[in-house]
Amino acid sequence: MSKKPAKAPPRPAAKAAPKTAVKGSAPAERRPSKVAAKRPAGPAPDDTPERIARALEAIAAHLAATQTSAKPALDWNAADAFVWHPDGRLSTVPRVSRVEIDLLKGIDRMRDILIENTERFANGLPANNALLWGARGMGKSSLVKAAHANINVAREPADRLKLIEIHREDIESLPALMEILRAAPFHFIVFCDDLSFDGNDASYKSLKAVLEGGIEGRPENVILYATSNRRHLLARDMIENERSTAINPGEAVEEKVSLSDRFGLWLGFHRCSQDEYLAMVRGYCGHFNIAVAEDELEREALEWATTRGSRSGRVAWQFTQDLAGRLGVRLSAK
């Protein structure tokens, strides 16, 4: 038998030639390439400097607008009394709340000294800053306002003395007030009621510089009157704390106490006696035409003072108000 010839192994299929794109025909489809891995987004750019710049531009524009709109000139003839505001504004006080100087009893010596000092100043003569200190309710602030009114009684409008009240919490703005008053054509009493300093309050340094020690000094047409329950304007524990913690206790205490030394005139007010208290009550009742029997008035006035635990001009005035209210008498001057 004849053997069949062995079959040849199959030839590998020829690779298909790549298709070429024919001009004008649609491009061949390609497999989508692998998407590259996304990098983490970096931090957003900081725009703080730009925002600060915009804010500064807005502030500058506002200040420029404020400066262009000039404030109207203050009419010093509009009133004899003003209140200072730390924003640079002086508001007029058409009617000052005060007591007639003849009604201030038991403080005759302090009254005469303060009026003499105030009159010298109003006449352009040298005078001292005054500190009225002592017992509460004894007429310290009432005396300042009464002395101011008493000096102006017989003065022409151009020569009248002006009273400007500055609040205790606005003492740091005192130099700005001095700058305004320095160029004014009047004489001024700058008055601060119940002046005192506590704790770490350092605003007293502004007052020290204005009173004495600053380069400009106190204007010649300005005098300062202050009232306080404390002789040295500082709490005792504030002074003792300085004494115990400072490296040099003596120097620390001197620095604190030197504030009151800058007031050339010290007027001390002490608790009144029973006779002085009754004289105040009689003076008020006579001034306002309150008719009460002498023995009854004395008995009720002493009982009122006993319930208040003190005798002072303030207590006498409060009793007079109560008595007038009960009797239906209006407290208007004769």
Side-chain angles (χ1 to χ4, degrees):
M1 290 180 59
S2 61
K3 294 182 181 180
K4 293 182 179 179
K7 292 182 179 180
R11 295 180 180 178
K15 292 183 179 180
K19 295 181 179 179
T20 57
V22 181
K23 189 175 181 179
S25 62
E29 294 183 357
R30 296 181 180 178
R31 291 184 180 181
S33 60
K34 293 183 179 180
V35 180
K38 293 184 178 179
R39 296 182 179 179
D46 186 8
D47 62 343
T48 301
E50 184 179 352
R51 288 189 288 109
I52 292 176
R54 289 198 300 268
L56 291 175
E57 290 176 359
I59 293 173
H62 177 72
L63 291 176
T66 304
Q67 292 175 356
T68 53
S69 58
K71 295 181 179 179
L74 181 63
D75 183 10
W76 293 113
N77 293 311
D80 286 339
F82 302 82
V83 174
W84 167 253
H85 300 277
D87 59 357
R89 181 169 47 91
L90 281 163
S91 58
T92 59
V93 181
R95 183 180 179 186
V96 178
S97 175
R98 59 182 177 86
V99 177
E100 297 292 335
I101 198 164
D102 295 335
L103 295 177
L104 300 176
K105 307 293 184 181
I107 54 173
D108 297 351
R109 178 176 173 275
M110 286 74 76
R111 177 198 63 200
D112 295 342
I113 293 174
L114 188 67
I115 288 180
E116 181 183 356
N117 189 72
T118 308
E119 191 167 10
R120 288 203 308 263
F121 169 70
N123 292 332
L125 298 174
N128 276 311
N129 301 312
L131 173 63
L132 290 72
W133 68 274
R136 66 184 188 276
M138 282 304 298
K140 298 184 292 295
S141 59
S142 296
L143 179 56
V144 172
K145 293 182 285 187
H148 166 255
N150 185 75
I151 295 299
N152 281 339
V153 168
R155 288 185 173 269
E156 296 295 329
D159 298 328
R160 294 178 73 85
L161 189 61
K162 305 297 179 179
L163 179 67
I164 297 181
E165 182 178 14
I166 181 171
H167 297 134
R168 153 69 192 87
E169 57 272 16
D170 300 331
I171 284 296
E172 290 185 346
S173 64
L174 192 56
L177 174 60
M178 294 297 105
E179 185 178 352
I180 295 175
L181 301 184
R182 193 182 299 273
F186 290 91
H187 283 74
F188 299 91
I189 297 175
V190 175
F191 170 53
C192 184
D193 191 24
D194 196 18
L195 180 63
S196 61
F197 301 92
D198 295 298
N200 296 322
D201 190 352
S203 60
Y204 70 91
K205 295 182 180 180
S206 299
L207 180 59
K208 286 175 64 176
V210 170
L211 290 171
E212 290 179 15
I215 295 178
E216 292 182 320
R218 173 173 58 89
E220 293 183 358
N221 63 333
V222 177
I223 199 169
L224 284 97
Y225 286 176
T227 68
S228 177
N229 295 332
R230 301 166 179 169
R231 182 175 181 177
H232 293 295
L233 302 175
L234 307 173
R236 180 178 295 275
D237 58 350
M238 186 177 176
I239 297 176
E240 292 299 328
N241 183 60
E242 289 289 339
R243 193 190 304 276
S244 61
T245 59
I247 296 176
N248 190 327
E251 291 181 356
V253 173
E254 284 297 322
E255 198 268 340
K256 298 285 187 182
V257 174
S258 63
L259 172 60
S260 58
D261 290 341
R262 282 168 164 76
F263 289 91
L265 184 60
W266 285 12
L267 298 177
F269 291 69
H270 308 285
R271 297 186 183 278
C272 62
S273 65
Q274 178 173 301
D275 292 339
E276 289 171 336
Y277 167 72
L278 291 175
M280 296 174 188
V281 172
R282 295 190 191 98
Y284 284 134
C285 291
H287 183 76
F288 295 109
N289 293 325
I290 303 175
V292 182
E294 182 69 20
D295 56 344
E296 182 180 355
L297 178 64
E298 181 176 328
R299 179 183 58 80
E300 291 191 14
L302 292 177
E303 180 181 355
W304 183 273
T306 302
T307 59
R308 297 299 178 275
S310 65
R311 292 189 297 264
S312 67
R314 181 178 298 151
V315 173
W317 172 245
Q318 291 170 347
F319 167 73
T320 304
Q321 287 182 305
D322 180 77
L323 181 62
R326 287 188 281 115
L327 298 178
V329 178
R330 295 186 180 277
L331 294 180
S332 56
K334 293 180 180 179

